[in-house]
Amino acid sequence: MLASVVTSLFLAAAPEDLWEANHPEWRVVGASRTSLPYLGREISFLWTEPEAQRMIAVDEAGLEVNWRAAFSAEKNLRREEKGAASEELWVYLRDKPDSTVVTVGIWAVAPTRTFERRDESSLREDVAKQASLDLAQLQLVLAAYGLEGQAATYAPSVVVAATKDTLLRGLAHEPAVDWIELAESEKVLFGVDADSVKFDGAYALGRRGTGQSIATVEPGKIHLSSVSPARWWNVPISSNLPGGSNATFHPARSDVRGQFSRISNDEHATRVAAVASYYFDGTRYSGAYESRLFSANPASESDFDFVGAYSWSLSTAAARIVNHSYGFRRDPRVESSSGQLFAVPPSRPYYLDQIVDSYSRNAATTHVQAVGNDKAPVVGWLGYNSIKVGGFDHVSTTSWADDRWWEDPFEPTRGSSYRNPPLSVTVVGGNLVTVVSDRELPEIVAVSVNRVSPKTTFPLPAGPDSNDLGETGTGTSFAAPQVAAVAALVMEEAPYLRIWPEAVKAILMASATNPVFRTNGSGAGSIPDFGEIRGVGVQYMDDRKTGAGGLSAAAAVSVARGSSGRVRYGMFSPAQPYGSVRESFILPTCRQRMRMVLAWSVSYGCNFCSTDADDVENEPTNRASLLNANIIAYDSSGRRLGISRSIHNNYEIIDVPTPSGQFVRLDVYGAAAGMRPEYYGLAMHCYSVDGQGIPNSD
């Protein structure tokens, strides 16, 4: 009896505690668990101090296990039962008639490849050629089933409509099919929004977007007619817009669901384009107004047509920046015909997210996306390799002290969407360490409220009402094109950034030093202690709704130029036998504070696997292919300044007071399952602070 009680108490303890009890020389500072339902097991991955040279995986009893063998067995058991069908698709169709037609994204079996970053034309040519080869066998299989769909130019994937019987009993078990998932989902237009921050400083540095290309992906056309009575059709937009007054790449046609959708001129599309490339009166400017601006218009709101819009933007328009402000509201549940609800994992990207990630990594394109105006956790735009943009309110002043996370005072349910992951703070070696599980979104914010302000540079284009001065447009849709415009400015400053989206992301996040203090709205208690936000050697992961901070065009261009920071870029090549990554960077010290941001790409091995076990095996930490990728900063004497150790983000941030000495050493370490090479960008931004340690707003 006593033995059974002792055993019960032993098994009730957390696996990491049991492992730590048998390894007193180690301290566990984080753990991530995954269930293997087909094997009936649960495995935990441990993060330790000091850092382990290998990936530590333990079972429920705290005993180390061969996780690769367990996940392989789990994957094989699931494949036998459900084939390549995603769990969402399988649950959705389970109780429906065999004749039910559904639109899906089908991925071909193809190894993950790493393309050398060389000249732009050969890169895209090589990527398109390889994707075409990977698709060839899949298209033969689809033809045998009498199916034809929309293929993505740069990804081995096809969007197609098929019956339940064909999908679950046929295609899901074809050797050439790697993964099948739901493609159709409810689409909802985001609200309009406005403004940008500190573009004048970027223009003073001589950058206006010359030679760069931005594509806006919107169902509506951009209207440029100067004689239209609707004033929002008469906004000044870059004269470099290809396609004339009704720029489009796609004629109206029937979509895959048999519905007819006619593309019309649209206020939302026009205002989004105006923010990306807008000039006001010859003296005040905002956006990359000398960039080439393209309008990519899907013929309907289906994923089928949005894949076509993305492909056109990259292949025909050859855009280096793609802005997507048209929102997708996705219910994170899948309902079967019996009324059962299946919860989709909150970190799982949707089909279009995965297409964007593939394009960004392989075709080296910078994608910018608005997180939405639901004032709630993000349910769309969960891809890793894009830049997710939220919004803040600048309150019509030049000071940063009163800036706040954007929420609509007239509509309580409306505001910038976000995701604040649960976190815990521990002390390691005398330093605070924030251990974050799940993802932090957005990654950066721009102004989402249009007000006349000396800090901003243009009013929102007026609406159809002649009395409408355009001062009421709000939302994150117009925050995103501000970020797209700044991406064009830094590419003009440093042309290599045109094919290095990871470095663009790192630069934008490193230079966003506006802390946006009021991260929880305008109510009481909404101004957290600045030390808590900024941290001392702690990453920017302190329950914030504004990501790395507020966008600054001037600071971003300054970092790209090298006058206020440094940029590094390259490729992590994980070493055998455990796929570990260990690299060091030497960065010069300057000014009062240093912010260092590391961002890396995410590849997909089994193309968005169907179980959590697959996530860990092929895309660890829910598709972040570098598992436990962390950064530690040291001063010239070897003293540790700070550490960033988040989970499920593919970026890390350290923001510390600049130490004495000539340099800071930044160590990057982690483990990568599958030993897949990944691209990275590293940006360091030096900035000044006032007497209270608050960043200067000049």
Side-chain angles (χ1 to χ4, degrees):
M1 177 68 178
L2 179 60
S4 64
V5 170
V6 172
T7 301
S8 298
L9 292 174
F10 179 77
L11 293 177
E16 58 267 29
D17 295 333
L18 298 174
W19 182 88
E20 190 177 56
N22 292 319
H23 299 80
E25 69 276 20
W26 302 89
R27 173 182 294 182
V28 177
V29 295
S32 176
R33 294 182 177 81
T34 187
S35 297
L36 309 181
Y38 290 88
L39 287 176
R41 301 182 63 184
E42 183 177 83
I43 290 181
S44 300
F45 290 92
L46 308 184
W47 285 261
T48 65
E49 180 72 22
E51 185 68 22
Q53 298 291 326
R54 56 192 172 81
M55 194 182 305
I56 299 176
V58 300
D59 61 14
E60 297 88 340
L63 301 176
E64 294 188 29
V65 296
N66 184 334
W67 62 274
R68 291 186 183 277
F71 290 156
S72 179
E74 175 78 7
K75 184 176 180 179
N76 291 338
L77 288 173
R78 188 201 183 277
R79 183 87 185 192
E80 290 178 7
E81 178 179 331
K82 297 176 181 175
S86 71
E87 199 69 17
E88 296 91 332
L89 177 64
W90 192 84
V91 171
Y92 180 72
L93 291 176
R94 180 174 52 196
D95 301 319
K96 288 181 167 55
D98 286 350
S99 58
T100 301
V101 177
V102 62
T103 302
V104 295
I106 302 180
W107 293 83
V109 173
T112 299
R113 294 178 175 85
T114 299
F115 297 89
E116 296 181 7
R117 300 276 169 113
R118 44 190 186 276
D119 66 279
E120 297 179 46
S121 59
S122 62
L123 170 66
R124 289 196 171 174
E125 181 180 343
D126 289 350
V127 174
K129 184 183 300 182
Q130 191 59 62
S132 178
L133 292 174
D134 294 335
L135 281 169
Q137 187 176 2
L138 176 59
Q139 289 171 326
L140 288 175
V141 172
L142 292 175
Y145 284 86
L147 299 174
E148 183 178 358
Q150 170 74 51
T153 304
Y154 297 103
S157 181
V158 172
V159 183
V160 66
T163 64
K164 169 187 173 179
D165 183 67
T166 298
L167 292 171
L168 299 188
R169 296 186 178 90
L171 289 171
H173 300 280
E174 291 284 351
V177 175
D178 186 47
W179 179 243
I180 308 176
E181 60 183 320
L182 288 168
E184 290 293 347
S185 56
E186 180 189 4
K187 310 288 193 301
V188 177
L189 182 67
F190 283 162
V192 295
D193 32 43
D195 267 330
S196 58
V197 176
K198 292 186 175 297
F199 275 85
D200 52 347
Y203 302 146
L205 294 175
R207 297 302 164 215
R208 297 169 180 81
T210 305
Q212 311 313 307
S213 53
I214 303 173
T216 61
V217 178
E218 296 265 342
K221 293 180 183 179
I222 298 173
H223 200 303
L224 303 179
S225 173
S226 61
V227 297
S228 171
R231 289 182 57 197
W232 54 261
W233 287 359
N234 189 24
V235 297
I237 297 177
S238 168
S239 59
N240 291 323
L241 178 68
S245 62
N246 290 306
T248 183
F249 85 94
H250 215 310
R253 62 172 178 77
S254 296
D255 67 18
V256 293
R257 296 165 296 184
Q259 300 172 342
F260 190 77
S261 175
R262 182 179 300 279
I263 302 176
S264 61
N265 299 314
D266 180 78
E267 177 179 4
H268 185 268
T270 307
R271 289 187 171 191
V272 166
V275 172
S277 179
Y278 182 76
Y279 58 94
F280 181 50
D281 61 4
T283 58
R284 292 190 294 165
Y285 299 87
S286 190
Y289 57 87
E290 291 186 4
S291 296
R292 285 176 58 81
L293 180 67
F294 295 89
S295 177
N297 308 124
S300 74
E301 297 180 17
S302 70
D303 290 349
F304 183 101
D305 285 321
F306 272 92
V307 169
Y310 285 146
S311 298
W312 180 89
S313 297
L314 274 61
S315 60
T316 304
R320 273 296 163 202
I321 304 159
V322 177
N323 182 86
H324 202 140
S325 291
Y326 186 82
F328 297 167
R329 182 195 306 275
R330 288 172 164 121
D331 190 336
R333 302 168 299 169
V334 175
E335 184 174 2
S336 65
S337 59
S338 64
Q340 296 175 312
L341 292 177
F342 172 79
V344 178
S347 294
R348 186 181 299 283
Y350 293 91
Y351 178 68
L352 287 181
D353 300 327
Q354 297 159 7
I355 289 289
V356 166
D357 271 0
S358 179
Y359 279 5
S360 181
R361 181 186 186 277
N362 296 326
T365 305
T366 296
H367 283 256
V368 180
Q369 299 167 327
V371 295
N373 305 328
D374 289 337
K375 196 179 177 181
V378 177
V379 294
W381 297 142
L382 296 175
Y384 282 84
N385 298 341
S386 60
I387 302 172
K388 276 72 65 181
V389 183
F392 75 95
D393 183 351
H394 57 75
V395 202
S396 299
T397 69
T398 57
S399 170
W400 283 354
D402 56 1
D403 290 349
R404 63 187 60 175
W405 168 68
W406 170 64
E407 58 182 348
D408 194 323
F410 304 105
E411 296 184 46
T413 61
R414 202 172 131 81
S416 178
S417 295
Y418 61 92
R419 169 176 287 165
N420 281 331
L423 58 85
S424 60
V425 177
T426 186
V427 177
V428 177
N431 292 273
L432 286 176
V433 178
T434 306
V435 180
V436 181
S437 60
D438 205 354
R439 301 179 61 193
E440 178 90 358
L441 296 174
E443 291 153 342
I444 194 170
V445 290
V447 176
S448 285
V449 173
N450 186 54
R451 305 172 189 265
V452 177
S453 165
K455 186 171 62 176
T456 57
T457 52
F458 72 96
L460 182 68
D465 185 347
S466 60
N467 296 320
D468 179 7
L469 299 179
E471 296 181 1
T472 59
T474 57
T476 62
S477 292
F478 282 9
Q482 294 170 47
V483 175
V486 176
L489 300 183
V490 299
M491 288 178 185
E492 182 188 6
E493 176 62 46
Y496 68 86
L497 294 172
R498 289 164 59 90
I499 53 173
W500 221 274
E502 300 82 11
V504 172
K505 186 174 184 177
I507 290 170
L508 295 180
M509 294 178 72
S511 59
T513 52
N514 177 357
V516 191
F517 296 101
R518 297 174 181 258
T519 59
N520 296 308
S522 56
S526 64
I527 308 179
D529 177 72
F530 181 66
E532 176 188 352
I533 292 181
R534 184 191 64 196
V536 180
V538 183
Q539 60 183 1
Y540 265 65
M541 294 290 116
D542 299 283
D543 192 36
R544 304 183 67 207
K545 300 177 181 178
T546 53
L551 176 72
S552 174
V557 172
S558 178
V559 171
R561 172 170 292 193
S563 57
S564 70
R566 293 292 185 269
V567 182
R568 304 284 186 266
Y569 56 94
M571 185 171 63
F572 290 130
S573 296
Q576 299 287 352
Y578 300 109
S580 61
V581 169
R582 288 186 179 270
E583 295 197 26
S584 296
F585 301 88
I586 301 299
L587 301 170
T589 58
C590 58
R591 295 195 181 182
Q592 287 97 336
R593 292 194 67 86
M594 300 177 64
R595 179 186 290 189
M596 292 156 282
V597 177
L598 175 72
W600 62 91
S601 63
V602 170
S603 64
Y604 299 87
C606 61
N607 281 328
F608 330 113
C609 309
S610 52
T611 68
D612 289 337
D614 288 338
D615 289 345
V616 176
E617 180 184 17
N618 295 281
E619 291 81 43
T621 66
N622 291 330
R623 310 232 201 324
S625 42
L626 289 179
L627 178 61
N628 190 25
N630 307 311
I631 55 177
I632 304 178
Y634 299 89
D635 66 13
S636 303
S637 66
R639 180 177 63 92
R640 180 183 289 182
L641 300 173
I643 185 170
S644 179
R645 180 186 280 143
S646 69
I647 303 172
H648 298 177
N649 295 306
N650 62 323
Y651 61 84
E652 300 287 347
I653 305 177
I654 289 180
D655 195 313
V656 295
T658 299
S660 60
Q662 297 181 342
F663 68 87
V664 164
R665 187 181 89 242
L666 191 70
D667 287 353
V668 179
Y669 61 98
M675 285 69 76
R676 294 183 180 86
E678 293 298 346
Y679 306 110
Y680 71 83
L682 171 65
M684 180 270 286
H685 176 46
C686 296
Y687 62 98
S688 59
V689 296
D690 63 18
Q692 296 179 319
I694 298 176
N696 290 325
S697 59
D698 54 0

